[in-house]
Amino acid sequence: MSSKVSIRRLKTGVPGLDNLLGGGLPEFSFNLIAGTPGSGKTTLAHQIMFSLANPNNRALFFTVLGEPALKMLRYQQQFPFFDIDKVNESIRFVNLSEDLLDGDFDRVLSRIGEEVKAYAPSLVFVDSFRSVARSAKQNEQGESELQRFVQQLGMQMTSWQATTFLIGEYLLPESESSPIFTVADGILWLSQNLHRNSMLRKMQVVKMRGQAQAPGLHTFRIDDEGIRVFPRAIVKDDISAELATRASTLESRVAMGIPGLDDMLGGGLPVGYSLLVVGPSGCGKTILTTEFLAEGARRGEPGVIAAFEKSPSQMLGNRRLYSLVQAGQVGVIDTRSLDLSIDETLHDLIAMIHRMKAKRVVIDSLSGFELALAPEFSEDFRGSLYRMIAELTGMGVTILMTSELEDRYTDLRFSPFGSAFLADAIIVQRYIEIAGQFKRVISVVKVRGSEHSKDIRLFEITDEGIVIGETLSEYDGIMTGRPKINP
């Protein structure tokens, strides 16, 4: 007879972190929070501790940094997760710096054991564990002695029936030979990198026994609220589900709000599709997006817009868009933060989509989005954008993206960075010269899996919005060049 042991998962209280861990921290696990200096290890430990600690789930925090706990707490009190009422009632701080001065590992183990036995905590933290390793080297104690200490500490922690955390500074997880990497049940790796003038923080779940975790590096921020993690979007490869979704979306169409454009698209834009609208400056891309959102509001389909080329005040200078925002029919994502990551932008978009129950999303524009990103993300813009679009369309929302292109008159392109393949549909707006005047034309280049118009049609921008006119023919006037399409 065999029975499966059920391991309870503890919610960390850190936004986004439980998603990386596969639902939370395994109870009674032995975890290592490691990384480079200043990457946020102690802040992460405190945020987890204050979230989990209560009179029935007490925490013991050992410090071996050589600085008093009051100095450390002075800075941690600035975060809202810090609860002064929990200190001494549910959380106790113990300084081990004096016990470690002579490098007597047995004395340190004994002191830790005594404190744990007396306090009976459910959570134990040791910060910084790297100090123990440095003490061993300074006192010329061998790796075997350090390994024995770690093994004994690990066995003690297991016998305590407590969830434990060791915090320490390391440069690279692969470069350290410390046995703690083998003993630990879970390893959280934090890092911060300076790229040009941008500071970017990353988190990785190197190891978490007994449960699946999100692979790769994930962006996180330390702001006035504490640590927030933005899990990296991972594209799920489910071909059968994708085919079923595509078949159903082609039957359901989204109205664009511009007379004649739905007919050009073959009956409207299929639900859950991503549409790329490209064209030079002033050709009407933003007006088209406003019509798209306004039509959604009229049909009871709320929208969300992320504008990267204008500040919120500039964007809301559009009176029609302003009225939609004021009425609560369109939500605006603040994209003016420095060093944006696509993961963070996606997090904000998804949160607002759920809050507003939005059906339409506008990204205006991809060109501005790329410029707003931290350099590390802009270098892999296409890959990151692919994951972002896949995540949003997987939610069933319909996306309209704009991209500004230089109009070369005789050379028609669809994207400045080769990402047109990401779009399910493409609309091109451009200028032509007829009888000594610039005219605007619009055409549908593709609608994946659907018939669409091949016409190039004139259009005007009026007080009523975009008005699509007649089909352009070679007899409509003298053109300075026929469009040459480069796929």
Side-chain angles (χ1 to χ4, degrees):
M1 179 178 178
S2 62
S3 59
K4 185 177 180 180
V5 176
S6 178
I7 299 178
R8 188 163 71 101
R9 296 177 182 177
L10 307 177
K11 301 298 182 182
T12 63
V14 179
L17 180 56
D18 293 338
N19 294 338
L20 301 192
L21 300 174
L25 284 164
E27 190 176 25
F28 307 141
S29 59
F30 180 14
N31 302 285
L32 173 63
I33 300 177
T36 55
S39 57
K41 301 180 297 299
T42 300
T43 300
L44 177 64
H46 277 84
Q47 194 164 344
I48 294 173
M49 179 176 65
F50 277 95
S51 174
L52 293 173
N54 58 58
N56 298 318
N57 197 48
R58 299 192 294 180
L60 194 55
F61 198 101
F62 293 101
T63 60
V64 290
L65 294 171
E67 65 178 9
L70 287 177
K71 179 181 178 181
M72 175 178 59
L73 295 179
R74 177 188 178 191
Y75 294 101
Q76 294 298 315
Q77 288 181 46
Q78 310 308 310
F79 295 112
F81 63 74
F82 185 93
D83 187 350
I84 190 64
D85 294 332
K86 289 187 176 183
V87 178
N88 294 328
E89 179 183 336
S90 304
I91 299 172
R92 183 182 177 191
F93 291 88
V94 178
N95 195 313
L96 296 175
S97 57
E98 292 186 3
D99 299 87
L100 193 62
L101 287 177
D102 57 2
D104 189 342
F105 287 159
D106 291 334
R107 180 179 174 183
V108 174
L109 278 173
S110 177
R111 177 74 189 283
I112 292 176
E114 290 171 1
E115 294 287 349
V116 170
K117 183 177 180 181
Y119 196 65
S122 299
L123 305 162
V124 178
F125 296 80
V126 180
D127 184 11
S128 152
F129 185 74
R130 183 68 186 271
S131 301
V132 177
R134 287 175 178 170
S135 177
K137 295 177 181 179
Q138 291 171 0
N139 289 277
E140 297 182 352
Q141 299 189 48
E143 283 293 324
S144 60
E145 185 68 16
L146 178 60
Q147 183 173 357
R148 183 183 69 85
F149 170 78
V150 173
Q151 289 173 341
Q152 288 182 345
L153 181 59
M155 287 186 292
Q156 283 193 17
M157 289 180 167
T158 302
S159 66
W160 293 334
Q161 292 293 289
T163 307
T164 56
F165 302 82
L166 305 182
I167 302 118
E169 294 178 0
Y170 294 88
L171 299 179
L172 291 171
E174 300 85 358
S175 66
E176 300 293 340
S177 59
S178 173
I180 191 174
F181 286 90
T182 303
V183 176
D185 299 313
I187 300 175
L188 292 178
W189 193 265
L190 281 64
S191 63
Q192 58 180 1
N193 299 305
L194 183 63
H195 190 105
R196 298 176 189 168
N197 293 323
S198 301
M199 176 64 74
L200 206 60
R201 300 179 189 270
K202 293 283 192 174
M203 182 180 297
Q204 179 185 5
V205 182
V206 178
K207 177 182 181 182
M208 190 58 62
R209 283 179 177 152
Q211 61 194 51
Q213 65 269 3
L217 295 172
H218 306 268
T219 308
F220 74 95
R221 278 189 184 271
I222 303 177
D223 55 24
D224 292 338
E225 300 297 315
I227 287 180
R228 290 189 301 155
V229 182
F230 306 100
R232 176 172 170 266
I234 299 175
V235 179
K236 300 176 180 64
D237 188 12
D238 189 341
I239 297 177
S240 59
E242 176 70 12
L243 290 175
T245 301
R246 289 294 179 184
S248 62
T249 55
L250 286 172
E251 298 176 2
S252 180
R253 301 275 177 149
V254 169
M256 298 296 296
I258 299 174
L261 185 55
D262 289 344
D263 291 337
M264 294 180 69
L265 289 165
L269 183 65
V271 172
Y273 264 37
S274 58
L275 167 65
L276 178 62
V277 179
V278 298
S281 177
C283 67
K285 299 186 297 298
T286 300
I287 295 175
L288 192 150
T289 64
T290 303
E291 299 287 353
F292 174 74
L293 292 172
E295 181 66 16
R298 192 177 71 82
R299 294 172 176 267
E301 302 169 0
V304 174
I305 182 170
F308 294 93
E309 293 187 351
K310 299 178 181 178
S311 67
S313 59
Q314 290 174 323
M315 181 178 60
L316 295 177
N318 181 324
R319 287 181 294 176
R320 192 171 188 189
L321 181 59
Y322 177 77
S323 64
L324 293 172
V325 173
Q326 288 294 99
Q329 297 170 312
V330 172
V332 179
I333 297 293
D334 183 7
T335 62
R336 306 304 292 179
S337 301
L338 297 176
D339 302 336
L340 281 174
S341 75
I342 283 190
D343 298 327
E344 185 172 354
T345 303
L346 177 60
H347 172 273
D348 292 343
L349 277 171
I350 290 176
M352 185 167 285
I353 288 169
H354 285 312
R355 185 166 64 252
M356 297 190 62
K357 298 181 180 179
K359 301 297 182 182
R360 303 184 180 209
V361 172
V362 168
I363 300 174
D364 185 18
S365 70
L366 295 185
S367 312
F369 189 12
E370 185 181 21
L371 291 175
L373 291 175
E376 182 173 335
F377 289 95
S378 61
E379 289 174 359
D380 184 31
F381 184 62
R382 287 204 305 168
S384 299
L385 186 62
Y386 169 72
R387 293 193 299 273
M388 178 177 179
I389 294 173
E391 184 79 12
L392 291 174
T393 54
M395 296 172 61
V397 299
T398 306
I399 306 172
L400 191 157
M401 306 171 288
T402 69
S403 180
E404 183 170 329
L405 291 175
E406 177 187 356
D407 197 335
R408 299 181 181 177
Y409 302 100
T410 59
D411 181 16
L412 183 58
R413 295 174 298 149
F414 301 144
S415 171
F417 32 72
S419 58
F421 75 96
L422 298 174
D424 298 307
I426 298 176
I427 291 177
V428 173
Q429 296 175 313
R430 65 192 312 262
Y431 295 109
I432 61 171
E433 184 182 341
I434 299 179
Q437 288 187 334
F438 278 122
K439 297 290 184 180
R440 296 182 177 94
V441 295
I442 188 171
S443 57
V444 177
V445 175
K446 78 169 183 179
V447 180
R448 189 168 284 151
S450 172
E451 290 291 332
H452 61 86
S453 170
K454 308 300 190 297
D455 293 338
I456 300 175
R457 303 186 68 173
L458 293 163
F459 74 93
E460 298 285 344
I461 298 176
T462 70
D463 292 339
E464 302 299 320
I466 291 177
V467 178
I468 296 179
E470 298 178 353
T471 300
L472 184 70
S473 71
E474 60 180 338
Y475 303 106
D476 287 322
I478 301 173
M479 300 177 58
T480 59
R482 299 296 298 274
K484 177 184 177 182
I485 298 179
N486 293 324

